[in-house]
Amino acid sequence: MTGCCHENDHRIIELRERQARMLWGVLAINAVMFVVEFSAGWLASSTALLGDSLDMLGDALVYGFSLLVVARSIRWKAVSAGFKGGAMAFFGVIVLLEATGKLLWGSEPQVMLMALLGVAALIANSVCLMLLTRHRRDDVNMRSAWVCSRNDLIANAGVLMAAAAVALTGRAWPDILVGVAIAALFLRSSFGVLADARRTYRAEARSAWSNAGNS
């Protein structure tokens, strides 16, 4: 019995170490891409690029928080997932506000810069999603991190579609439309992640109360 417990403990430690290494990798990728994409989005006057870059920043922050709770309890991991859901909602609102400003006062984005950065971000986020998919079913912490990365990939595809549409029409509205769609994706995903975090937290709390009552 003791040997079995020791083996399980060893497996848990190994799993946490693998999760930590993977999270450091995706955190670094997202931090670098945020700086590059935000700068390019500002220069290109692209709502879609700015929205995607803010999602990169949000992901870098939440991956950092995920690292802090890798070795903690399920309740802490649920709190981490809740933080990610809140970050998604916050950045969704920011992108909506930026899109509104662009609609009222903005100019046509620079298509070539949008396309180049869109491709670079797509490659970077494909790597992140591949790394996270291996740990998607580990726990609520990894599950919410995977949702963040999936959203990034969808947003990247949106940026490329926006660049193509702006090039074809010569107008800024496709960029604004894609920016709004990205914001809507953030907000919708945030609701799902927050609900998952709340369910996990409550289930763990009920289990703790039940164990305390039995003891």
Side-chain angles (χ1 to χ4, degrees):
M1 187 71 178
T2 303
C4 179
C5 292
H6 178 74
E7 183 178 351
N8 287 337
D9 289 343
H10 184 66
R11 287 178 178 175
I12 290 172
I13 291 171
E14 285 186 341
L15 175 62
R16 288 171 177 172
E17 288 176 348
R18 288 197 301 271
Q19 288 178 346
R21 286 194 298 270
M22 179 271 301
L23 286 169
W24 274 115
V26 296
L27 188 158
I29 291 171
N30 278 267
V32 170
M33 285 305 302
F34 161 70
V35 174
V36 174
E37 202 170 14
F38 184 85
S39 301
W42 188 268
L43 293 172
S45 298
S46 170
T47 301
L49 270 180
L50 286 173
D52 194 37
S53 72
L54 287 175
D55 187 40
M56 292 281 195
L57 173 61
D59 285 350
L61 293 174
V62 298
Y63 292 147
F65 198 77
S66 294
L67 275 167
L68 293 177
V69 301
V70 160
R72 291 183 178 269
S73 67
I74 294 176
R75 272 192 282 185
W76 266 104
K77 292 176 180 178
V79 170
S80 171
F83 175 77
K84 293 168 199 172
M88 286 183 209
F90 174 75
F91 287 116
V93 171
I94 292 295
V95 174
L96 280 178
L97 292 175
E98 203 279 335
T100 302
K102 183 72 171 293
L103 186 63
L104 296 174
W105 306 291
S107 58
E108 184 180 326
Q110 298 178 28
V111 175
M112 186 57 67
L113 199 53
M114 282 180 65
L116 289 174
L117 266 296
V119 170
L122 186 68
I123 294 171
N125 281 314
S126 296
V127 174
C128 290
L129 188 66
M130 180 183 67
L131 293 172
L132 284 161
T133 298
R134 299 173 185 174
H135 296 277
R136 176 186 176 186
R137 302 187 187 280
D138 288 356
D139 52 45
V140 67
N141 186 35
M142 293 295 106
R143 194 157 56 245
S144 57
W146 181 87
V147 171
C148 290
S149 187
R150 182 206 62 189
N151 286 353
D152 281 346
L153 206 59
I154 295 172
N156 296 150
V159 169
L160 292 174
M161 288 190 293
V166 170
L168 288 172
T169 63
R171 296 176 180 270
W173 66 261
D175 178 60
I176 297 172
L177 186 62
V178 169
V180 171
I182 291 172
L185 173 66
F186 293 169
L187 292 171
R188 184 178 181 277
S189 295
S190 72
F191 298 148
V193 170
L194 287 169
D196 189 20
R198 184 165 53 249
R199 283 193 301 268
T200 302
Y201 187 92
R202 288 178 176 175
E204 183 64 15
R206 283 196 297 269
S207 177
W209 291 337
S210 177
N211 291 337
N214 292 334
S215 61

